Amino acid sequence: FSEATDNSRHLYFVEVASALRDINLTTEYISTVVTNGQAGLNKLQTVTMDLTGYTIFFVDDNGQNNTTRAILSYSVRHEGFKRVYPYIFDRTGYSCAQHPDGSLFYNTYWNAAVMKARAKFNETTQNWESKQLFNLVANTNAHTYIFMHPEGKYAYITGAAYTSVYK
């Protein structure tokens, strides 16, 4: 399970392959915010709150080795985080993390690629494109999870049978 908090006494977490939940820490009430099947979501994996507390990003294991389905989607506070919008179309992934400078990073299952989201705007297609930074493994697939150091000095990447730290 993955969680994100904000300053409004709410804890948001993904019940893997099921739903995004909200625990109101004041009322001690749990509600469902987003579920699988909503906006084409296949198998929710993790959640990350942006630095402002306004946007929640969540990652979907869309089960695809192509870029036709959203891997990364988002919801915004003024809509109660109830509407889902696609953010990045890519292959299956498991996590994302925001750097203190605002950059968003995510991973893919194939070769455990680490990607920088919306790194370049393609004038021809009028779409944002991500940039692959590196692969953690070669010629194999891996479930990996990214956690950003609060000051952005390091990214902690963990997966089956290994943990790495990258500057």
Side-chain angles (χ1 to χ4, degrees):
F1 115 72
S2 162
E3 53 83 19
T5 58
D6 63 13
N7 293 329
S8 65
R9 304 229 354 114
H10 288 262
L11 173 68
Y12 299 91
F13 70 95
V14 168
E15 185 178 334
V16 175
S18 182
L20 174 66
R21 312 272 189 207
D22 171 12
I23 300 175
N24 183 318
L25 299 173
T26 302
T27 65
E28 298 180 0
Y29 181 76
I30 299 174
S31 62
T32 299
V33 181
V34 174
T35 63
N36 277 342
Q38 187 175 344
L41 295 172
N42 183 55
K43 194 174 180 183
L44 289 168
Q45 294 295 312
T46 58
V47 61
T48 298
M49 179 76 65
D50 81 337
L51 301 174
T52 67
Y54 182 76
T55 305
I56 290 178
F57 293 98
F58 39 92
V59 182
D60 186 34
D61 172 358
N62 60 35
Q64 302 295 311
N65 185 15
N66 59 53
T67 59
T68 61
R69 295 188 62 184
I71 180 180
L72 195 56
S73 298
Y74 71 97
S75 293
V76 292
R77 178 174 303 285
H78 80 269
E79 295 176 339
F81 300 118
K82 294 284 187 184
R83 294 193 61 190
V84 177
Y85 301 94
Y87 189 72
I88 297 290
F89 290 84
D90 208 335
R91 303 176 294 177
T92 292
Y94 296 97
S95 69
C96 67
Q98 191 169 37
H99 188 274
D101 73 4
S103 299
L104 192 64
F105 298 88
Y106 67 96
N107 69 325
T108 67
Y109 177 67
W110 281 265
N111 294 330
V114 175
M115 310 289 287
K116 182 175 182 180
R118 295 188 169 203
K120 177 184 173 189
F121 188 74
N122 183 325
E123 294 291 338
T124 304
T125 64
Q126 293 294 297
N127 290 315
W128 282 96
E129 296 175 350
S130 298
K131 177 182 179 184
Q132 183 172 332
L133 303 176
F134 56 90
N135 291 341
L136 294 172
V137 293
N139 303 319
T140 188
N141 304 321
H143 296 250
T144 57
Y145 301 92
I146 303 169
F147 305 93
M148 191 64 62
H149 181 275
E151 295 174 10
K153 293 179 180 181
Y154 305 96
Y156 304 95
I157 302 174
T158 184
Y162 68 89
T163 298
S164 301
V165 178
Y166 294 89
K167 284 187 174 186

